[in-house]
């Protein structure tokens, strides 16, 4: 891979500016960005560049019409064997291409995607935090950068991959969230963009999330946008219920749910752990009824950023239910510990999920 504009003498590394004791999420960026361009369906070979401002045209179509998709994955220090583990990156490559198809954008070869990520992580290796739970978050972004006002797919695209050293979401332990079930707003609907990791779904979620926060909730639980009865996701995470010792999560066939890598990991681990798993439609009323019957054991969100986020309270139409006494339950804890152990190389990686780099 060619390197362009690499660190001239005048440019200081961003490394010195990073407060590793207070990383937060997505506040800091590493020194380099991978960039590849697609013009008339042909990809350039891609370069590593310095992270720096870009200039854009006022008519850039994506600013107007939202033809943009992204991904999120992480590189962790292997605390047992040394080196670095990138968790299931081929899943992100495949999902990027599914999102791209839905938004009329070009496909990017998995081999080139994995190579770009490897080069970037190797180049900015020193930015990867050392502590357990911390990681280098990797953010691929693909958008149309054509300069026009007509409504049609762009004829040129840019793929950027940036990285950001991030904290563990839970520096003081996994704290269960208070969640508001939205009966007023939907993030997507059947036939919409819900299965694509695209900006529009986030734009649709901001207002409801802001109102929920003002009322003291951390996030919104999204119902299907048609009947407003079935559960889709929680915030920007997939959702899992433990009811009567079964693991239940909404099925993906509605097309309104993002196929999370963490969701898939939890489903596969459930089978290893001997839990029964049901991927099916689940009504919010079923969750409240099972709470009444005493069979609702745990609720948690799954996603790359937090891995596992326990839900301690659900509020729907002014009715509250408290789950597992506002404490993390044993199932959520077991998934969290197992996944964190896997990504840090402490637990044997039987499924070959880690892309291990000996760096
Ligand atoms: C990214 C995302 C998830 C989680 O996916 P992971 O691959 O597990 O990080 C869930 N829901 C939405 C809407 C997302 O954008």
């Amino acid at each position: 891979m060619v390197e362009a504009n690499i660190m001239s003498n005048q440019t200081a590394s961003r490394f010195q500016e990073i407060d590793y004791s207070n990383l937060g999420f997505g506040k800091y960026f590493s020194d380099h960005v991978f960039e590849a361009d697609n013009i008339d369906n042909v990809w350039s070979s891609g370069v590593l560049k310095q992270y720096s401002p870009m200039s854009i045209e006022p008519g850039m179509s994506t600013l107007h019409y939202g033809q943009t998709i992204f991904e999120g994955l992480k590189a962790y220090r292997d605390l047992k064997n040394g080196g670095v583990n990138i968790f299931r990156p081929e899943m992100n490559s495949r999902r990027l291409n599914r999102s791209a198809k839905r938004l009329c954008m070009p496909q990017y070869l998995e081999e080139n995607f994995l190579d770009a990520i490897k080069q970037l992580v190797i180049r900015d290796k020193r930015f990867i935090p050392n502590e357990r739970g911390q990681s280098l978050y990797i953010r691929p972004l693909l958008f149309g950068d054509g300069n026009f006002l007509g409504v049609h797919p762009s004829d040129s695209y840019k793929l950027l991959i940036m990285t950001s050293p991030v904290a563990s979401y839970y520096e003081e332990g996994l704290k269960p969230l208070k969640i508001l079930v939205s009966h007023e707003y939907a993030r997507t609907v059947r036939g919409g963009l819900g299965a694509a990791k695209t900006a529009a779904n986030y734009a649709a979620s901001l207002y409801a999330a802001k109102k929920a926060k003002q009322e003291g909730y951390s996030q919104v639980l999204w119902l299907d946008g048609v009947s407003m009865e079935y559960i889709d996701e929680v915030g920007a995470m997939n959702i899992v219920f433990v009811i009567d010792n079964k693991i239940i999560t909404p099925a993906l066939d509605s097309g309104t749910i993002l196929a999370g890598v963490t969701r898939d990991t939890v489903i596969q681990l459930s089978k290893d752990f001997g839990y029964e798993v049901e991927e099916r439609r689940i009504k919010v009323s079923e969750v409240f009824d099972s709470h009444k019957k005493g069979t609702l054991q745990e609720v948690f969100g799954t996603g790359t950023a937090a891995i596992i986020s326990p839900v301690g309270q659900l509020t729907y139409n002014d009715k509250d239910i408290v789950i597992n006494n506002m404490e993390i339950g044993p199932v959520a804890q077991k998934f969290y510990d197992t996944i964190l152990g896997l990504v840090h190389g402490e637990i044997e990686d039987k499924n070959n999920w880690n892309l291990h780099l000996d760096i």
Side-chain angles (χ1 to χ4, degrees):
M1 193 176 308
V2 196
E3 292 204 11
N5 313 331
I6 289 291
M7 314 310 295
S8 64
N9 291 334
Q10 301 97 296
T11 344
S13 168
R14 301 173 161 263
F15 189 71
Q16 280 73 31
E17 295 160 22
I18 299 177
D19 177 2
Y20 273 84
S21 64
N22 187 19
L23 281 176
F25 184 83
K27 281 198 296 188
Y28 298 109
F29 293 97
S30 315
D31 282 337
H32 298 93
V33 171
F34 172 84
E35 181 177 325
D37 289 287
N38 184 292
I39 296 167
D40 292 332
N41 240 342
V42 180
W43 280 107
S44 67
S45 57
V47 291
L48 288 186
K49 285 179 142 181
Q50 209 183 114
Y51 182 105
S52 58
M54 308 187 305
S55 67
I56 47 168
E57 297 275 359
M60 191 182 79
S61 57
T62 289
L63 296 179
H64 302 252
Y65 307 125
Q67 201 186 11
T68 177
I69 60 177
F70 64 94
E71 272 304 324
L73 63 162
K74 283 174 167 180
Y76 296 84
R77 296 266 178 203
D78 191 315
L79 299 177
K80 189 168 166 214
N81 315 295
V84 173
N85 295 321
I86 306 172
F87 193 62
R88 307 188 76 185
E90 67 293 335
M91 295 284 280
N92 299 90
S93 170
R94 288 168 205 162
R95 189 170 65 192
L96 182 80
N97 282 333
R98 290 199 301 275
S99 300
K101 183 172 178 213
R102 180 65 180 82
L103 279 104
C104 303
M105 301 165 89
Q107 301 287 293
Y108 196 70
L109 262 186
E110 184 169 313
E111 188 190 328
N112 294 345
F113 180 86
L114 297 180
D115 188 53
I117 285 176
K118 275 191 247 175
Q119 296 308 322
L120 196 55
V121 169
I122 291 168
R123 179 80 206 179
D124 283 334
K125 178 192 161 192
R126 67 170 168 157
F127 284 84
I128 308 170
N130 293 318
E131 303 274 310
R132 195 167 190 276
Q134 298 182 330
S135 58
L136 189 70
Y137 182 76
I138 303 166
R139 167 55 63 85
L141 175 72
L142 172 60
F143 59 97
D145 62 355
N147 185 31
F148 58 85
L149 297 180
V151 179
H152 57 81
S154 183
D155 50 14
S156 64
Y157 296 88
K158 194 179 278 300
L159 172 68
L160 297 175
I161 309 178
M162 63 204 84
T163 66
S164 170
V166 298
S168 160
Y169 245 59
Y170 305 105
E171 265 151 359
E172 60 317 340
L174 282 83
K175 256 217 269 79
L177 309 174
K178 283 173 68 180
I179 300 291
L180 181 65
V181 183
S182 180
H183 50 84
E184 203 176 344
Y185 303 101
R187 68 179 277 281
T188 186
V189 290
R190 194 167 67 216
L193 296 173
K197 208 165 175 75
T198 185
N201 296 328
Y202 284 77
S205 76
L206 295 175
Y207 187 68
K210 180 176 144 185
K211 284 186 48 169
K213 279 192 186 122
Q214 284 167 352
E215 292 172 34
Y217 300 92
S218 313
Q219 262 303 345
V220 170
L221 183 106
W222 301 106
L223 301 178
D224 80 275
V226 180
S227 69
M228 293 300 234
E229 283 187 72
Y230 292 94
I231 293 167
D232 272 354
E233 299 201 53
V234 58
M237 291 181 287
N238 295 114
I239 191 161
V240 175
F241 300 91
V242 185
I243 301 176
D244 219 0
N245 292 319
K246 284 187 213 125
I247 306 277
I248 303 169
T249 191
L252 300 177
D253 53 15
S254 63
T256 57
I257 294 167
L258 203 277
V261 177
T262 320
R263 174 187 183 279
D264 184 80
T265 302
V266 162
I267 290 171
Q268 292 204 45
L269 288 175
S270 295
K271 293 172 185 165
D272 294 350
F273 294 161
Y275 296 131
E276 200 178 316
V277 182
E278 292 180 1
E279 288 180 72
R280 61 166 170 89
R281 302 223 284 168
I282 178 163
K283 280 186 178 175
V284 67
S285 59
E286 179 183 342
V287 173
F288 277 66
D289 287 349
S290 64
H291 179 266
K292 205 188 272 170
K293 279 192 280 180
T295 52
L296 179 66
Q297 294 156 272
E298 296 184 34
V299 181
F300 53 91
T302 68
T304 295
I307 307 181
I308 301 289
S309 270
V311 173
Q313 182 186 320
L314 283 173
T315 301
Y316 181 52
N317 283 336
D318 298 324
K319 256 192 78 189
D320 298 328
I321 55 173
V322 172
I323 300 139
N324 199 45
N325 274 324
M326 265 325 251
E327 282 163 26
I328 180 163
V331 179
Q333 187 74 54
K334 184 165 175 166
F335 284 123
Y336 182 74
D337 292 343
T338 304
I339 296 172
L340 201 64
L342 274 166
V343 296
H344 281 301
E346 298 157 338
I347 292 178
E348 194 199 341
D349 181 20
K350 285 185 239 152
N351 296 292
N352 252 319
W353 279 331
N354 286 327
L355 171 65
H356 182 80
L357 301 179
D358 256 324
I359 51 172

